[in-house]
Amino acid sequence: MTSQPLHRLRVLFLAALLVLGGCATIQPDPLPSWSDGPARQAIVDFVRQTTDSASPQFVPPDRRIATFDQDGTLWVEQPMYTQVMFALERVRDIVRAQPALAGEEPFRAVVAGDREAMAKFTERDIFKIVAVTESGLTVDAFAEVVRRWLATAKHPKFQRPYTELVYAPMQEAMKYLRANGYRTYIVTGGGQQFVRAFAEQVYGIPPEQVVGTMFRINYETRDGRPALVTAPELFFLNDKGGKPVGINMVLGRRPQAAFGNSDGDQQMLEYATAGDGARLAMIVLHDDADREFAYGPAAGLPESKVGTFTQALYDEAKKKGWTVISMKRDWKRVFAFEK
Amino acid sequence: MTSQPLHRLRVLFLAALLVLGGCATIQPDPLPSWSDGPARQAIVDFVRQTTDSASPQFVPPDRRIATFDQDGTLWVEQPMYTQVMFALERVRDIVRAQPALAGEEPFRAVVAGDREAMAKFTERDIFKIVAVTESGLTVDAFAEVVRRWLATAKHPKFQRPYTELVYAPMQEAMKYLRANGYRTYIVTGGGQQFVRAFAEQVYGIPPEQVVGTMFRINYETRDGRPALVTAPELFFLNDKGGKPVGINMVLGRRPQAAFGNSDGDQQMLEYATAGDGARLAMIVLHDDADREFAYGPAAGLPESKVGTFTQALYDEAKKKGWTVISMKRDWKRVFAFEK
């Protein structure tokens, strides 16, 4: 009978161990930068429904694909897309190396800082400026140029590197999805080679999970070695209806979840949500002039040069049950550098 | 002192357990269909060198990429590429559904079985025939058509389904590479959507790991739902210099190993082997008329309509240290259905 109290002690000790063990596995909040509300809830519900094997909405791991637009969805796109900022700054170096370009528009206007001429740039002008920064370079050399620029360039408003202007809540959402077996893809209207240069370091997204706009690339010989060299010719525009096509080209599956912020993303969201079972579609609304920027008709503001979130898209989102993410209301913090 | 013999027994017993445990983890031969010889050895050495973390040639898991041509490298390509066989057989059904095509070449010749006209088909004629089987269909509907055809079609020589005419040694090589952390990609001159329809079932290769020739695909609305619909227009030819470009487009990394069988694969092998560290490049030589087919100049035979393995490529392979796989000498068995 003397062993009875000892036995009890042992049981209590083991129970305590189990509890402690249980405590040790309690996860910290995976979405600390999100306020409680419908946006956060939509993500949590979607993950629970699609990863619980007892759920009728269960999605097998190989089909767990989430696609993210980049500019305005994962990082700041104002006052201009980062790749265009990069191109405008690079043009000076390029004109120095190729003086023949100095008298040629649109390069002359950029080098001269002719704001009046630059304000009138057409899409074709912008394309020429972006193309000249990449064309003639091997894909490896271009990636190096991008990385060197990102290491020193600063955003005009925030005076911080562009790679710090990534939205903390979206980083958390990507990590949370990945922790639940989702593969996260960037599907951007920006250049595939531009985004691949930093996507792994900044987002943890490897090159094979970056779908973007493509220049024509040719297989050539450089210094006696085979090389992939970019030509100044658009090969594939990964925007609007191009996004589902680009997704099919690179990954060949319909995404289960898609995140965007403009009418360039509408078709990707349509395509993702047209599949069976639980689907998640989310659109970032830039309504926070204090912490980031406020722009676009859906925020009750004039049409913006980038990231067009029209009233029609807002109405469509409401009709289809897509979740609009209000930066102001749904995000406790926008950037990781905030306290 | 009496415990000494008991202790000895225990040590012996534990030692025996360790040995048995060791035996239990001895792997069965991963390449049973390969004869001993330089080809088999090249694969084994490459895997050992690149996966042993103590090796100077160690390759981190995310860079372990192996690319495989399909026709003539993974399965039979004689007397004609399987996709062309598919297209020739499908044309009858298509002409029945679209009688306007009945009088139009090259469709008339196929339906009439006009061998004389068919012998004169140009590449453009073949392209038109292949395109008509895919164009106007959604990518999902086309995949279904391919799978239905493969379920019943038989190869004219072997009288077996095409999907049984996969080379057992190459299946083993792919599995062996995957077991060692490699991702295996198909990089084919054949259609990306055609190969994706069966690659997962036949090779264990998911859609995002199939790079192929692409028709233009458009985002449209079908029956009120968004759909990806193929147009009869070539978008990207994944052959010769196109293969490294297609690899960059879809996966954005240089392969560590590449397997091919013709001059359509030469640039892919060049590109793979131009990188640093241990690289593996292998070319299948079809020199086995008894078990499969023998064809092409490198086998001392006339130029073949498919899978051109020229003498120049053979010489290049020898010069560069690429391994030529002799089907006759290096493969104990060609197909899984052999005893």
Side-chain angles (χ1 to χ4, degrees):
Chain A
M1 296 294 278
T2 50
S3 72
Q4 196 61 14
L6 273 176
H7 177 69
R8 279 235 176 115
L9 265 179
R10 248 183 99 204
V11 168
L12 280 172
F13 179 70
L14 287 174
L17 270 183
L18 279 172
V19 169
L20 285 169
C23 285
T25 66
I26 285 175
Q27 300 293 323
D29 177 6
L31 301 170
S33 300
W34 292 76
S35 305
D36 279 334
R40 182 197 159 93
Q41 200 57 46
I43 300 172
V44 172
D45 288 348
F46 170 78
V47 166
R48 208 196 37 223
Q49 284 168 11
T50 59
T51 59
D52 172 0
S53 59
S55 157
Q57 317 269 39
F58 178 74
V59 174
D62 66 326
R63 294 181 179 250
R64 292 187 199 157
I65 306 281
T67 55
F68 294 80
D69 168 57
Q70 188 190 226
D71 294 306
T73 300
L74 295 180
W75 74 355
V76 173
E77 65 181 350
Q78 290 283 4
M80 185 40 71
Y81 302 122
T82 305
Q83 185 166 6
V84 176
M85 302 295 272
F86 159 79
L88 290 171
E89 293 189 21
R90 280 286 300 158
V91 161
R92 285 161 217 276
D93 293 340
I94 288 163
V95 169
R96 209 173 297 129
Q98 304 175 51
L101 292 177
E104 196 181 307
E105 294 296 353
F107 310 110
R108 184 211 57 81
V110 177
V111 173
D114 181 344
R115 285 176 177 275
E116 204 178 324
M118 286 169 74
K120 287 182 200 143
F121 275 173
T122 61
E123 274 197 16
R124 206 178 143 68
D125 292 325
I126 301 283
F127 177 80
K128 274 174 99 169
I129 291 163
V130 170
V132 83
T133 63
E134 192 160 347
S135 67
L137 294 184
T138 67
V139 297
D140 294 340
F142 177 68
E144 202 41 49
V145 169
V146 173
R147 283 191 283 260
R148 272 207 308 270
W149 181 79
L150 284 172
T152 58
K154 293 232 163 76
H155 185 278
K157 172 172 170 176
F158 295 97
Q159 287 301 314
R160 284 177 179 271
Y162 289 91
T163 51
E164 288 184 17
L165 301 179
V166 164
Y167 307 133
M170 296 305 279
Q171 287 274 41
E172 291 166 11
M174 287 197 289
K175 278 185 194 155
Y176 178 53
L177 284 160
R178 290 199 290 260
N180 283 282
Y182 276 85
R183 269 173 294 163
T184 51
Y185 280 77
I186 292 174
V187 179
T188 175
Q192 185 181 38
Q193 301 304 323
F194 181 78
V195 177
R196 277 176 173 170
F198 58 86
E200 186 132 39
Q201 199 204 324
V202 172
Y203 302 114
I205 292 184
E208 65 270 27
Q209 291 175 18
V210 176
V211 187
T213 290
M214 303 173 193
F215 286 103
R216 184 167 298 282
I217 291 177
N218 295 309
Y219 183 73
E220 297 178 4
T221 302
R222 279 278 170 103
D223 308 323
R225 300 186 97 188
L228 296 171
V229 180
T230 304
E233 184 190 331
L234 183 67
F235 176 66
F236 177 68
L237 181 62
N238 194 54
D239 197 31
K240 301 187 192 278
K243 287 202 171 187
V245 174
I247 289 168
N248 182 65
M249 199 188 307
V250 173
L251 72 118
R253 301 179 192 265
R254 189 194 298 266
Q256 207 74 26
F259 296 72
N261 79 305
S262 79
D263 61 3
D265 304 313
Q266 181 165 355
Q267 290 81 357
M268 173 168 78
L269 272 60
E270 274 174 11
Y271 178 60
T273 54
D276 299 329
R279 303 277 162 172
L280 180 65
M282 304 192 88
I283 313 184
V284 176
L285 176 67
H286 293 265
D287 57 358
D288 195 333
D290 292 337
R291 295 187 299 176
E292 201 239 12
F293 292 94
Y295 53 98
L301 293 162
E303 195 79 44
S304 162
K305 272 200 175 182
V306 298
T308 312
F309 193 163
T310 59
Q311 187 60 43
L313 174 58
Y314 190 90
D315 296 342
E316 185 77 3
K318 290 290 157 194
K319 202 178 90 189
K320 291 204 162 140
W322 299 348
T323 305
V324 173
I325 301 168
S326 157
M327 292 182 77
K328 194 167 188 162
R329 199 183 56 226
D330 291 315
W331 289 357
K332 277 188 204 161
R333 59 171 192 172
V334 175
F335 302 112
F337 56 77
E338 294 169 25
K339 276 155 285 276
Chain B
M1 296 294 278
T2 49
S3 72
Q4 194 64 13
L6 272 177
H7 178 70
R8 279 235 176 113
L9 263 179
R10 247 184 101 201
V11 168
L12 280 172
F13 179 71
L14 287 173
L17 269 184
L18 279 172
V19 170
L20 284 170
C23 285
T25 66
I26 285 176
Q27 299 294 323
D29 177 6
L31 301 170
S33 300
W34 291 76
S35 305
D36 280 332
R40 181 196 160 92
Q41 200 57 45
I43 300 172
V44 172
D45 288 348
F46 170 78
V47 166
R48 208 197 35 223
Q49 284 167 11
T50 58
T51 59
D52 174 359
S53 58
S55 157
Q57 317 269 38
F58 178 74
V59 174
D62 66 325
R63 294 180 180 251
R64 292 187 198 158
I65 305 280
T67 55
F68 295 80
D69 168 58
Q70 188 188 229
D71 295 305
T73 299
L74 294 180
W75 73 354
V76 172
E77 65 180 351
Q78 291 282 3
M80 185 40 70
Y81 302 123
T82 305
Q83 186 167 7
V84 176
M85 302 296 272
F86 159 79
L88 291 171
E89 293 188 22
R90 280 286 300 157
V91 160
R92 284 161 217 277
D93 293 340
I94 287 164
V95 169
R96 208 173 298 128
Q98 303 176 51
L101 292 177
E104 195 182 309
E105 295 295 353
F107 311 111
R108 185 210 58 81
V110 177
V111 174
D114 182 343
R115 286 176 176 274
E116 204 177 323
M118 285 168 75
K120 288 181 202 146
F121 276 171
T122 61
E123 274 198 17
R124 206 178 141 68
D125 292 326
I126 301 283
F127 177 81
K128 275 175 98 171
I129 291 163
V130 169
V132 83
T133 63
E134 194 161 346
S135 67
L137 294 184
T138 67
V139 297
D140 294 339
F142 177 68
E144 201 41 50
V145 169
V146 173
R147 284 191 281 259
R148 272 206 308 271
W149 181 79
L150 284 172
T152 57
K154 293 230 161 78
H155 185 279
K157 172 172 170 177
F158 294 98
Q159 287 301 312
R160 285 178 178 271
Y162 288 90
T163 52
E164 289 185 17
L165 301 179
V166 164
Y167 306 134
M170 295 304 280
Q171 288 273 41
E172 291 166 10
M174 286 197 290
K175 278 185 194 156
Y176 177 54
L177 283 161
R178 290 198 290 258
N180 284 282
Y182 276 85
R183 269 173 295 163
T184 52
Y185 280 77
I186 292 175
V187 179
T188 175
Q192 185 181 37
Q193 300 304 322
F194 181 78
V195 177
R196 278 177 172 170
F198 57 87
E200 186 131 41
Q201 200 203 324
V202 172
Y203 302 114
I205 291 184
E208 65 271 27
Q209 292 175 16
V210 176
V211 188
T213 290
M214 303 172 193
F215 286 104
R216 184 167 299 281
I217 291 178
N218 295 308
Y219 183 74
E220 298 178 4
T221 302
R222 279 279 169 102
D223 307 324
R225 299 187 97 189
L228 296 171
V229 180
T230 305
E233 183 191 332
L234 185 66
F235 175 66
F236 177 69
L237 182 63
N238 194 54
D239 198 32
K240 300 189 192 280
K243 287 201 171 188
V245 175
I247 289 168
N248 182 65
M249 199 186 309
V250 173
L251 72 116
R253 300 179 192 266
R254 191 193 296 268
Q256 207 73 26
F259 297 72
N261 79 304
S262 79
D263 60 4
D265 304 312
Q266 182 164 354
Q267 291 81 354
M268 173 168 77
L269 272 61
E270 274 173 11
Y271 178 59
T273 54
D276 299 329
R279 302 279 162 170
L280 181 65
M282 306 193 85
I283 313 184
V284 176
L285 177 67
H286 293 265
D287 58 358
D288 195 332
D290 292 337
R291 295 187 300 176
E292 201 241 10
F293 292 95
Y295 54 99
L301 293 161
E303 195 78 45
S304 162
K305 273 202 176 183
V306 297
T308 312
F309 194 164
T310 59
Q311 188 61 43
L313 175 58
Y314 190 90
D315 296 342
E316 185 76 3
K318 290 289 157 195
K319 202 178 89 189
K320 291 205 161 139
W322 300 348
T323 306
V324 174
I325 300 168
S326 157
M327 291 183 77
K328 195 168 187 160
R329 199 183 57 228
D330 291 315
W331 289 356
K332 276 187 205 161
R333 59 172 193 171
V334 176
F335 302 111
F337 57 75
E338 293 169 24
K339 276 155 285 278

